[in-house]
Amino acid sequence: MTSSAGATDPREFQIFAKPGGAICNLDCDYCYYLEKERLYPGVRSFRMSDQLLERYISQHIAASGGAVIRFSWHGGEPTSLGVDYFRKIVSLQSKHSPPGARIANGMVTNGTLLDEEWCHFLAAEGFAVSLSVDGPRELHDTYRVTKGAKPTHNEVMRGWRLLQQHRVPCDILCVVHNRNVQSPKQVYRFFKEVGATYVGFLPLVERRDDLPGGVGENTVPAESFGSFLCTIFDEWVRQDIGRIMVQIFDESARPIRGLEHSLCIFRETCGDVPVLEHNGDLYSCDHFVDEQHLLGNITETRLDELLASPAQVQFGNDKRDSLPRYCLECDVLAMCNGGCPKDRFIRAPDGEEGLNYLCAGLQQFFRHSCATFEQLVPLWKAGATNEQLMAAARSDYLGGPPVRRNDPCPCGSGRKFKKCCMGKHR
């Protein structure tokens, strides 16, 4: 990426920048990042200094080089830093942005600290927000609690409504754990009811080598996760194509559509989503913030050099090169490519190590969804509308409730099925 003269070639990467470190106002039972504070014993303030913040922003822009330069602000809880801190971020981005470039900011938040001032700022500066919500109140409040173990659903949904009122683009990130996995329709329909247009389902896997099975009790069972996704997919494909984007459904369709995966956990290799801590330390990945995966510090080595370092290249390639034979011979390998390396800690049926804990569930979902997508994608390429795709999914063409030739078309056109969508999927 870097020539001998120090010039930087543009590349795609996404850095999870944590200018407040692991500091958060909540104490979610399953959070894997709160403990990262221990990496910095004796540190009193985890607030990235103004000088270091400017250094990071200028190096990030220089390493990007494209027409759109993307920043992703994470934590901990980034809003704990206050809105004025982010006004400073925007000012520094403007100072260092080259002519013709566009800065795109994204933020992941628990939403509990959002208010009118925050949302006015986010809207005015074009921020996109990802909001953590685990479903309706009784399921969300199972684990997402305050430092005093109080529920947070009311505060989160207040933040959601404010974001909606200010027209801030907002995704929902739902952690799927041992409790809400049992209620797929309830979870999905809740998101539909509140007007979500994009949902990401994040399976909770708490590795615990000291426990039977190697996982904590909050962990989602692999098979249950597969059933959860299949149940929601069956409703989505018949009712919500084009209305709600579900991240893993999009990923499932990508190989069939001839597209590369956009989500790092399903790509053949990884390493393009490192983490920047409050002091300038850069780590290989959000799930590998430890001494072994510390790449360096941007005050000592430029960001572009760290991104292209041999250690990071090897980290990314190891995902592909360490696949067990069971994965290499799997019929849905192209869909998951072994999944996230953090979850590869069980044995394959033949006894080989390195199989993904979620394998059984991912296999179930990808086989289920791909059977449908393999029939819908040709219709989509032929120009079928979303309504026609959903009508096909509801028809006997895809094994749903049968629709007779002379019945009204399920797409709602008012025409007979034989004169409308039936001809689209012959």
Side-chain angles (χ1 to χ4, degrees):
M1 185 180 69
T2 307
S3 72
S4 57
T8 301
D9 297 324
R11 63 166 292 176
E12 281 192 24
F13 61 87
Q14 180 184 15
I15 293 175
F16 284 5
K18 300 174 183 278
I23 302 304
C24 185
N25 62 316
L26 300 188
D27 193 17
C28 302
D29 290 356
Y30 55 58
C31 183
Y32 62 89
Y33 209 82
L34 289 175
E35 66 179 20
K36 302 305 177 183
E37 184 179 346
R38 300 173 190 169
L39 290 171
Y40 303 97
V43 174
R44 292 185 177 181
S45 174
F46 285 82
R47 184 186 186 93
M48 184 180 286
S49 69
D50 293 355
Q51 181 180 9
L52 181 55
L53 181 64
E54 181 165 13
R55 184 187 293 248
Y56 163 58
I57 288 173
S58 64
Q59 289 189 17
H60 183 117
I61 289 173
S64 300
V68 180
I69 302 171
R70 304 183 185 280
F71 285 83
S72 298
W73 304 102
H74 289 241
E77 175 49 44
T79 61
S80 296
L81 294 165
V83 69
D84 285 340
Y85 191 91
F86 278 82
R87 289 193 177 102
K88 186 182 306 174
I89 286 174
V90 171
S91 175
L92 290 171
Q93 289 173 335
S94 178
K95 174 182 176 181
H96 291 281
S97 179
R102 181 172 71 86
I103 302 291
N105 283 293
M107 175 190 290
V108 175
T109 176
N110 61 47
T112 60
L113 300 178
L114 295 176
D115 55 18
E116 288 284 348
E117 182 182 16
W118 258 115
C119 291
H120 178 78
F121 165 79
L122 295 170
E125 299 299 338
F127 272 63
V129 171
S130 294
L131 185 69
S132 296
V133 191
D134 288 356
R137 183 190 317 277
E138 63 273 20
L139 297 174
H140 174 95
D141 287 339
T142 301
Y143 299 125
R144 298 195 65 82
V145 296
T146 67
K147 300 293 186 185
K150 294 183 179 179
T152 62
H153 193 265
N154 286 346
E155 288 74 16
V156 174
M157 296 315 297
R158 176 187 52 79
W160 166 261
R161 289 189 294 271
L162 282 171
L163 291 167
Q164 296 293 92
Q165 290 167 14
H166 286 267
R167 299 178 184 242
V168 177
C170 187
D171 306 339
I172 295 289
L173 296 181
C174 174
V175 174
V176 185
H177 46 71
N178 65 323
R179 293 287 298 279
N180 60 4
V181 74
Q182 302 172 35
S183 307
K185 290 184 178 180
Q186 185 181 1
V187 170
Y188 181 61
R189 289 173 184 175
F190 171 78
F191 293 143
K192 288 172 64 172
E193 289 168 4
V194 300
T197 57
Y198 181 104
V199 180
F201 291 116
L202 313 178
L204 175 62
V205 180
E206 296 179 322
R207 186 170 181 179
R208 290 285 303 274
D209 293 333
D210 59 324
L211 294 178
V215 294
E217 61 181 9
N218 300 336
T219 296
V220 60
E223 294 83 357
S224 298
F225 182 58
S227 297
F228 175 92
L229 294 176
C230 289
T231 298
I232 294 175
F233 177 82
D234 287 345
E235 180 164 328
W236 173 84
V237 78
R238 288 165 171 81
Q239 299 181 17
D240 299 314
I241 294 178
R243 299 168 186 165
I244 300 177
M245 179 183 173
V246 180
Q247 187 179 49
I248 194 169
F249 299 170
D250 176 70
E251 293 296 327
S252 179
R254 279 179 167 266
I256 299 171
R257 295 167 59 189
L259 302 174
E260 293 185 3
H261 284 296
S262 63
L263 192 59
C264 63
I265 61 173
F266 295 135
R267 291 178 188 160
E268 186 177 28
T269 60
C270 59
D272 290 329
V273 192
V275 163
L276 184 79
E277 258 289 343
H278 71 288
N279 69 336
D281 285 345
L282 192 74
Y283 294 88
S284 293
C285 169
D286 197 39
H287 292 283
F288 291 87
V289 176
D290 51 43
E291 292 182 3
Q292 180 183 350
H293 294 93
L294 174 61
L295 300 171
N297 191 289
I298 63 169
T299 63
E300 301 168 353
T301 307
R302 287 204 326 266
L303 179 63
D304 57 356
E305 295 178 1
L306 293 175
L307 291 169
S309 65
Q312 186 66 350
V313 172
Q314 181 177 344
F315 173 81
N317 290 339
D318 280 348
K319 178 185 179 183
R320 174 196 61 212
D321 299 340
S322 63
L323 282 173
R325 177 173 298 180
Y326 182 77
C327 289
L328 296 175
E329 297 174 351
C330 180
D331 59 314
V332 291
L333 173 61
M335 302 298 160
C336 80
N337 286 300
C340 185
K342 78 177 179 66
D343 298 328
R344 294 183 185 177
F345 55 84
I346 66 172
R347 292 181 181 272
D350 61 5
E352 187 177 1
E353 295 182 347
L355 186 66
N356 195 305
Y357 165 82
L358 295 166
C359 176
L362 292 175
Q363 281 186 336
Q364 178 188 359
F365 166 69
F366 284 124
R367 287 169 181 158
H368 180 79
S369 60
C370 288
T372 297
F373 281 136
E374 285 172 355
Q375 297 178 75
L376 288 183
V377 166
L379 304 181
W380 171 75
K381 289 182 176 180
T385 65
N386 290 329
E387 289 293 340
Q388 290 167 337
L389 293 174
M390 289 186 286
R394 292 191 295 264
S395 75
D396 57 347
Y397 178 72
L398 293 180
V403 182
R404 297 183 179 86
R405 292 169 49 85
N406 291 314
D407 287 346
C409 186
C411 77
S413 66
R415 302 168 65 190
K416 291 183 178 180
F417 182 54
K418 67 180 180 181
K419 296 291 187 179
C420 190
C421 293
M422 187 176 93
K424 292 287 185 178
H425 53 77
R426 284 289 185 190

